[in-house]
Amino acid sequence: IEEKELNILKDLKDVIKLDTDAFIINHNGDLVASTVSLKNMSNEQQKIQKDWIKEQLEKETGFAVIKYKNNNGKDFFLSCTPIRDNRWYLITSIEILDEYIALSIIFAMVAFLVIITFGAMIIVIINRNTNYRYALEKTLYTDPITGGISYTNFERLVREKLKDTKPNVYSFISLDIHNFKLINDIHGGGGGNATLVHIHSMLRKYLDKDDLMCRVDADLFNILTKTKPIEEINDFFEKFATDLNSFNDKKKDKYFLKIKAGIYIIPGDQQSLMAIRDRSNIARKMAKNQHTTKLYTFAIFDESELLRQTREREFENTMEQSLKNHEFKMYLQPKINIQTGKIAGAEALVRWDSPVYGMIQPNSFIPMFERNGFIIQIDLDLFKQVCIFLKERIDNNLEPINISVNLSRIHLYNPNFLDDFIKIQEQYNIPSKYLEFEITESVAFEQLDAMEECINKIHEAGFTCSIDDFGSGYSSLNSLGDIPADVLKLDKTFFKVDSHQKIRNKHIITSVISLAKQLNMKVVAEGIETSSQAHFLQNIECDIIQGFIYSRPLPVAAFKEFLETWSDDIFCQTM
Ligand code: C2E
Ligand code: CA
Ligand code: CA
């Protein structure tokens, strides 16, 4: 930079004193900013400027300077500098004192104004980006419905807290509202959202300051808290759920927000957050199944539940193939007539003989098969195995025995369910009188009319029918007369009572048996394990016993042996 220019820059104060204008126009010639109002300019000045500027804009030449005289005969320089990608133009006019100085001033001013403009633009851009980032962060880090932290934010904070944590220090809670969908349906989305805000603020009120909490999705909340003793957890839920529902106090039509929660006690820092959350969800689903009038239910995760669920999924994937492979085996448990000492028949019970998992007991797969409907095929398959067993006896001129099969409730949803059984029976040509269907008490008493019709159909086909597990639920003795079953199977819980209840229980068993007799029903007592139980039952004229006292359920070969070796002597030894 030459010395002269430096001097000019130093004397900027003098520059200001000069008769100078600067303004910015856009491509259309509209004024964007200016140091003077155009109105203050002489007409002559304006005209020269406008014409020349127009010409420059049309030429799109870039930086240009002209010299002109104003009204008072003063010499001026006018410069035009495109800025902002030629979208704006910086125009300066300056009085010429010394041509060189004036030109230098123009350059200095242009440079100065260009820097200012770019500076301002950069500030605007940064500012805009900051606002954008702030808005982005807000959506990322806050939950739009509750205004609390978002799940992304929660995850980040949880990870920080769990870094190097010792076993069992923290618990992860998954919490939601029973039937929240109903609130949405009744009160609309707005009502639903207001409820979520209410839950959020109540949680915040009862959680510790350091606890982390957020709404994950719909009505699901996650919490990270210090592990507490069970009494304190109970206390927390009690207070929280009561306060949460206090809005009902003055309401005539009350509706309750029932909480269900799953708690996972975090065993250390080695687990992923996803695994932790999954476990709390599994626990929550367990809590969900507990029917209760309480305002809250919760369950603490236990590893065996996860194993069970994983196993269930594996079972579901292999069940069809297993059925084809004949892995579902019929076991037979003998029933003994305790008045005569003779074999009265047997109950067919399924076992899953899996090459992968070994022998699986029905309680581990029947409930799942009832849920997914596969039990229908299992029951039909067992029935077929029963028919094959009886057919073999008939073909070998051995006396067939009475065999009962369990009928899952799922069959009863189909009014024609019996047809499939009859088809199999006809295929093997088995007389109906040897076949019995066991229907559990809970199903039989659920819908008395439908059950009566169903049993009538079973009878029409010539089969017999029993009420299974009688006394395990809440069946009323009064309704027994409405069910035309042939056999009443007393549940094993009758015989598993504490000693102080025994006398009372004996009276009940005696009355049930006498009632069944009056209704022309045979009585089978299940789960009999001791000779004192057997004696008692013999004395009160119970007909049949099924229990470990005589035999566990046996595979076919062992059952055949049982039939061959059973004798009055063995019977007497057990009594
Ligand atoms: P359930 O129908 O009440 O069958 C009687 C259960 O009591 C059998 O259990 C049997 O092994 C057991 N048991 C018999 N005597 C005694 C005893 O003296 N003491 C004790 N503690 N238990 C005894 P299992 O075979 O494990 O079957 C459990 C349940 O699974 C059955 O209860 C039945 O509800 C269901 N189930 C079994 N096989 C089938 C089937 O093929 N189809 C359907 N739908 N359900 C089945
Ligand atoms: Ca049964
Ligand atoms: Ca039973």
Side-chain angles (χ1 to χ4, degrees):
I1 302 168
E2 281 182 29
E3 210 170 312
K4 255 185 188 170
E5 280 183 75
L6 278 176
N7 286 338
I8 293 160
L9 292 171
K10 260 193 237 153
D11 297 334
L12 262 174
K13 276 187 212 145
D14 295 333
V15 173
I16 293 160
K17 279 186 218 151
L18 288 172
D19 196 357
T20 52
D21 293 334
F23 42 98
I24 296 171
I25 56 164
N26 66 17
H27 206 91
N28 302 324
D30 300 326
L31 196 67
V32 176
S34 120
T35 54
V36 288
S37 158
L38 280 175
K39 273 188 259 165
N40 294 343
M41 286 190 208
S42 67
N43 289 344
E44 173 74 8
Q45 208 174 351
Q46 279 191 29
K47 191 172 177 332
I48 295 174
Q49 287 186 354
K50 277 192 178 162
D51 290 351
W52 180 75
I53 289 163
K54 223 174 123 203
E55 194 187 316
Q56 292 308 314
L57 296 187
E58 275 160 13
K59 277 200 286 188
E60 293 188 7
T61 44
F63 180 72
V65 186
I66 54 156
K67 204 169 153 186
Y68 71 98
K69 268 191 197 332
N70 78 354
N71 294 350
N72 309 328
K74 282 184 180 173
D75 283 336
F76 276 82
F77 273 139
L78 187 66
S79 80
C80 173
T81 316
I83 50 173
R84 277 201 95 194
D85 295 336
N86 291 354
R87 279 182 292 157
W88 287 358
Y89 296 84
L90 173 63
I91 311 294
T92 52
S93 80
I94 187 161
E95 186 191 349
I96 302 172
L97 302 171
D98 168 314
E99 208 164 293
Y100 179 77
I101 294 175
L103 268 175
S104 303
I105 289 172
I106 287 178
F107 280 119
M109 269 183 66
V110 166
F112 178 70
L113 286 169
V114 165
I115 289 167
I116 297 257
T117 316
F118 276 103
M121 266 159 57
I122 287 168
I123 289 170
V124 167
I125 289 166
I126 290 176
N127 203 17
R128 216 188 272 169
N129 281 352
T130 315
N131 287 345
Y132 178 64
R133 217 184 59 212
Y134 180 72
L136 200 72
E137 273 177 6
K138 204 173 161 195
T139 28
L140 266 179
Y141 290 142
T142 47
D143 170 26
I145 291 181
T146 61
I149 60 171
S150 69
Y151 188 67
T152 317
N153 203 358
F154 174 79
E155 250 184 336
R156 189 174 57 87
L157 297 170
V158 168
R159 280 209 183 91
E160 260 167 40
K161 267 210 170 167
L162 294 185
K163 213 185 255 171
D164 306 322
T165 182
K166 299 260 172 323
N168 308 332
V169 173
Y170 287 105
S171 292
F172 194 95
I173 304 178
S174 153
L175 175 151
D176 71 0
I177 304 295
H178 183 69
N179 263 341
F180 186 76
K181 205 186 144 293
L182 232 108
I183 296 173
N184 268 335
D185 290 349
I186 300 170
H187 301 277
N193 286 356
T195 310
L196 293 172
V197 173
H198 177 54
I199 298 165
H200 184 271
S201 68
M202 280 294 159
L203 271 176
R204 215 41 294 173
K205 180 171 169 189
Y206 286 98
L207 286 171
D208 291 343
K209 215 167 80 252
D210 294 341
D211 293 343
L212 296 173
M213 179 265 294
C214 81
R215 189 183 71 93
V216 182
D217 164 45
D219 62 326
L220 181 64
F221 288 81
N222 276 179
I223 297 161
L224 183 78
T225 177
K226 285 259 168 69
T227 303
K228 296 180 179 65
I230 192 90
E231 303 78 40
E232 272 184 49
I233 300 175
N234 252 316
D235 194 48
F236 162 78
F237 279 116
E238 183 72 49
K239 284 186 182 144
F240 162 64
T242 312
D243 201 356
L244 186 73
N245 283 285
S246 58
F247 67 90
N248 273 315
D249 292 350
K250 292 187 195 107
K251 268 192 165 192
K252 221 170 91 208
D253 297 324
K254 299 179 193 297
Y255 72 93
F256 291 99
L257 300 171
K258 288 187 181 179
I259 304 294
K260 27 186 189 58
I263 302 173
Y264 178 56
I265 300 169
I266 301 168
D269 62 351
Q270 68 280 17
Q271 253 171 348
S272 73
L273 186 51
M274 201 156 86
I276 292 172
R277 210 184 56 192
D278 282 352
R279 283 162 169 77
S280 72
N281 284 338
I282 289 171
R284 178 171 49 85
K285 280 170 196 154
M286 279 161 60
K288 195 175 182 171
N289 294 335
Q290 291 163 5
H291 294 289
T292 165
T293 50
K294 260 165 77 169
L295 286 175
Y296 67 91
T297 63
F298 68 88
I300 297 174
F301 175 85
D302 96 74
E303 202 68 34
S304 62
E305 177 60 19
L306 180 66
L307 268 175
R308 197 189 62 74
Q309 289 197 12
T310 319
R311 187 53 72 87
E312 266 200 24
R313 249 171 273 140
E314 289 169 5
F315 283 176
E316 275 200 305
N317 293 337
T318 55
M319 60 189 190
E320 310 250 357
Q321 192 54 46
S322 299
L323 183 63
K324 284 191 193 127
N325 296 347
H326 304 289
E327 288 171 24
F328 294 99
K329 299 264 156 65
M330 170 182 75
Y331 273 50
L332 293 162
Q333 186 177 30
K335 296 176 192 167
I336 304 294
N337 184 321
I338 44 171
Q339 303 303 333
T340 64
K342 301 276 181 267
I343 294 171
E347 175 176 4
L349 294 155
V350 68
R351 299 288 180 268
W352 188 350
D353 190 3
S354 159
V356 183
Y357 306 107
M359 191 63 82
I360 313 169
Q361 297 300 311
N363 291 341
S364 308
F365 58 89
I366 298 252
M368 178 198 23
F369 287 177
E370 284 188 334
R371 282 197 296 277
N372 65 21
F374 193 62
I375 190 68
I376 295 198
Q377 296 187 55
I378 295 292
D379 282 355
L380 285 168
D381 190 71
L382 254 268
F383 186 76
K384 185 171 158 185
Q385 293 186 52
V386 167
C387 290
I388 291 171
F389 176 82
L390 291 174
K391 171 102 171 86
E392 196 194 290
R393 281 189 77 82
I394 294 168
D395 289 351
N396 290 329
N397 288 323
L398 293 166
E399 207 207 328
I401 58 160
N402 193 327
I403 300 184
S404 59
V405 292
N406 291 284
L407 198 58
S408 161
R409 66 170 64 223
I410 313 293
H411 294 279
L412 309 173
Y413 299 142
N414 170 10
N416 303 321
F417 78 93
L418 212 53
D419 296 353
D420 291 335
F421 287 96
I422 293 172
K423 240 183 252 161
I424 296 170
Q425 177 221 356
E426 285 174 352
Q427 186 189 344
Y428 293 95
N429 204 14
I430 309 296
S432 309
K433 60 173 179 180
Y434 295 118
L435 298 164
E436 179 179 315
F437 288 101
E438 298 194 3
I439 301 172
T440 14
E441 166 201 82
S442 59
V443 179
F445 286 83
E446 214 168 54
Q447 274 187 307
L448 286 175
D449 289 350
M451 195 40 57
E452 196 180 337
E453 211 181 299
C454 168
I455 295 175
N456 287 341
K457 276 190 195 157
I458 291 175
H459 282 160
E460 271 165 36
F463 305 117
T464 50
C465 177
S466 50
I467 304 297
D468 199 3
D469 304 336
F470 184 81
S472 64
Y474 302 95
S475 49
S476 80
L477 279 179
N478 295 341
S479 312
L480 201 55
D482 297 329
I483 298 182
D486 312 280
V487 179
L488 193 67
K489 294 189 79 176
L490 298 185
D491 191 63
K492 44 184 170 288
T493 49
F494 271 123
F495 309 101
K496 293 220 161 20
V497 290
D498 299 339
S499 53
H500 68 275
Q501 275 187 311
K502 260 191 182 137
I503 306 275
R504 206 162 161 259
N505 218 43
K506 277 184 173 177
H507 288 308
I508 296 173
I509 296 168
T510 311
S511 340
V512 171
I513 290 180
S514 102
L515 179 66
K517 291 264 141 128
Q518 285 168 39
L519 295 169
N520 259 336
M521 293 168 103
K522 280 221 154 69
V523 179
V524 177
E526 264 191 309
I528 305 304
E529 295 179 359
T530 66
S531 50
S532 77
Q533 290 170 333
H535 267 293
F536 163 68
L537 288 162
Q538 195 180 36
N539 287 339
I540 59 167
E541 287 173 13
C542 171
D543 307 287
I544 294 162
I545 281 178
Q546 178 186 344
F548 294 172
I549 182 173
Y550 300 120
S551 172
R552 287 175 179 267
L554 300 168
V556 171
F559 182 72
K560 281 181 187 165
E561 204 183 313
F562 181 91
L563 290 182
E564 277 161 29
T565 51
W566 181 255
S567 67
D568 288 348
D569 282 352
I570 298 178
F571 175 68
C572 291
Q573 280 163 27
T574 56
M575 293 306 281

